[in-house]
Amino acid sequence: MVGGYSYALSSFNRATQARRQSGSAYKPFVYAAALEGDFTPVSIVLDAPISFPGGAGGKPWTPSNYSRRYYGPQTLRRGLELSRNVMTVRLAQAVGMRNIVELSKRMGVVDDMDANLAMSLGAGETTPYQITAAYAAFANGGRRVDPYLIEVVQDRYGKTIQRADRRNCRECSRSFSGQESPRLEDRGRQVIDPITAYQITSMLEGVVQRGTAARVRNLGPHIAGKTGTTNEYRSAWFVGYSADVVVGVFVGFDDNRSLGGGEAGASTAVPIFGEFMQTALQSRPARPFVRPKNAIFKTVNGIEEAFRPGTEREVRADPVRVEPTGPQNYYDVLRREQEAKAGASTPASAQQSGNTPVTAPRKEVPDDLSGLY
């Protein structure tokens, strides 16, 4: 734990005491609340302008993406990978902020939070200690584990006075005589479904491989995380993890002034995480995250997605074309005739030329890679 760069200048521990807005680093909890309900990683949410009454100065509140552009219907996975603000607000509106607040408190990311839509973009305050501990539940199969600094305290006679692990084990103190090893219950308490935890982890792996944290893609696979940046670049965040290590990085001034133009989580906090993990992975190499036993896996858009049983995406066969009977609209008849002619002429012309038909490349819209709240 690093609480500052100079204890002589200030004994204030920013890791445990600094309460700051988390920005987009909070979004995984919004998406987790959605996945706990009826949504899946491939559910579609519209990325388009939206306004709500009650903004500053009596004006409407109109959230926007960092790029000030909108990208239309997108999957939940893509929305989280590229940190789409408007999609997150629409999702929070559909899920209900009360459900999101309840899940956030259950996971320990906040002690309390107002149930308004601005909170879905990370307007609520938390500490690096809290949000990093909350992310650990995603890596632990949905179980919340409270972090600790001291493992065990013993007196000079070897008697244990305090132990961080408070699980009961009556067989652990017995001498070994060939009996079976003691069985301990899993540490922590279940706060979200293991499938939800794996879905979020898989989506956050996409953040590192294809999204706002692509700068640390060189760490290899099986690394997940989320960037975060608050308004006016006041705070920059990145919380990332492997199957064994969870790391939270916060960058900001004590007086909450701006870090400077462009000092977002992707450019400020992510490199710090990358440098730390390069050393950490030498002793604990990244390994695949544990897959839930009861999850259904299907490949969608080239990515293997996890589904809760009964929510998996169905592969539909092409519908059989049925010729209409009876009176028909004149323009519908012309349209069908033109489609039939086009379908018949395309293979013939392609065969004569000896080449396959060439279609114009689709112009891709630049992705929003900022992660800015």
Side-chain angles (χ1 to χ4, degrees), residues 262-282:
E263 296 296 331
S267 58
T268 305
V270 168
I272 298 174
F273 171 83
E275 183 176 348
F276 176 88
M277 288 299 287
Q278 282 182 345
T279 302
L281 292 176
Q282 292 177 5

Side-chain angles (χ1 to χ4, degrees), residues 113-164:
M113 188 171 67
D114 294 332
N116 63 65
L117 289 174
M119 298 298 170
S120 68
L121 297 180
E125 293 183 340
T126 186
T127 66
Y129 179 87
Q130 283 181 295
I131 195 170
T132 304
Y135 266 71
F138 297 138
N140 289 332
R143 302 186 72 88
R144 175 181 174 179
V145 178
D146 296 325
Y148 52 85
L149 297 176
I150 300 175
E151 179 78 31
V152 63
V153 177
Q154 295 180 331
D155 63 14
R156 56 182 170 176
Y157 302 108
K159 181 181 179 181
T160 300
I161 300 174
Q162 181 179 348
R163 184 186 299 274

Side-chain angles (χ1 to χ4, degrees), residues 345-368:
S345 61
T346 300
S349 59
Q351 185 176 4
Q352 292 175 0
S353 61
N355 298 318
T356 56
V358 179
T359 58
R362 186 177 62 180
K363 184 178 181 182
E364 295 293 339
V365 179
D367 287 330
D368 171 12

